[in-house]
Amino acid sequence: MLAMTDAAADAITALTAQEGKQETGGLRFAVQAQQETGAQLALSVADQPEAGDQVLGTEGGARVFLEPQAAQFLDDKVLDVQQDDSGQLNFAVMPQPSGNGPV
């Protein structure tokens, strides 16, 4: 199952609040048309999950909606937030560390 860092959860909460969707909304991952180079993930702020979406939530209220193909692709990943050179925050998907410890 996709894990998320505290920083990612905070960013999702801030993003959904900024969009006015903090009550039922979340960050939605979907797989776009698969090309020769592989699947591409699309990221959007959604009002609510679509039928068939896997819903992940945190105690702080951050919600992530995963379209079934995206859920399969992200099953062993961690969602994080990284700051680029210009100070912009970007979501990053990384492999989960091996082992049984908490993420």
Side-chain angles (χ1 to χ4, degrees), residues 2 8 11 28 34-35 48 52 54-55 58 65 69 77 97 100:
L2 176 70
R28 184 169 193 269
Q34 294 191 6
Q35 303 163 346
Q48 60 192 23
Q54 188 179 104
V55 179
T58 66
F65 310 138
Q69 277 187 291
K77 305 289 189 284
N100 296 330

Side-chain angles (χ1 to χ4, degrees), residues 5-78:
T5 64
D6 291 342
D10 291 345
I12 292 167
T13 301
L15 190 59
T16 53
Q18 179 181 333
E19 296 281 328
K21 300 176 182 177
Q22 65 268 30
E23 294 300 317
T24 60
L27 191 64
R28 184 169 193 269
F29 285 90
V31 173
Q32 289 185 325
Q34 294 191 6
Q35 303 163 346
E36 292 176 19
T37 57
Q40 231 179 359
L41 284 174
L43 202 61
S44 61
V45 176
D47 291 329
Q48 60 192 23
E50 293 187 15
D53 281 359
Q54 188 179 104
V55 179
L56 305 176
T58 66
E59 290 181 15
R63 292 170 26 120
V64 174
F65 310 138
L66 301 171
E67 176 262 342
Q69 277 187 291
Q72 186 176 13
F73 179 75
L74 296 169
D75 187 50
D76 60 348
K77 305 289 189 284
V78 176

Side-chain angles (χ1 to χ4, degrees), residues 67-89:
E67 176 262 342
Q69 277 187 291
Q72 186 176 13
F73 179 75
L74 296 169
D75 187 50
D76 60 348
K77 305 289 189 284
V78 176
L79 180 64
D80 196 7
V81 175
Q82 297 178 341
Q83 194 169 23
D84 65 17
D85 295 338
S86 63
Q88 289 285 97
L89 292 179

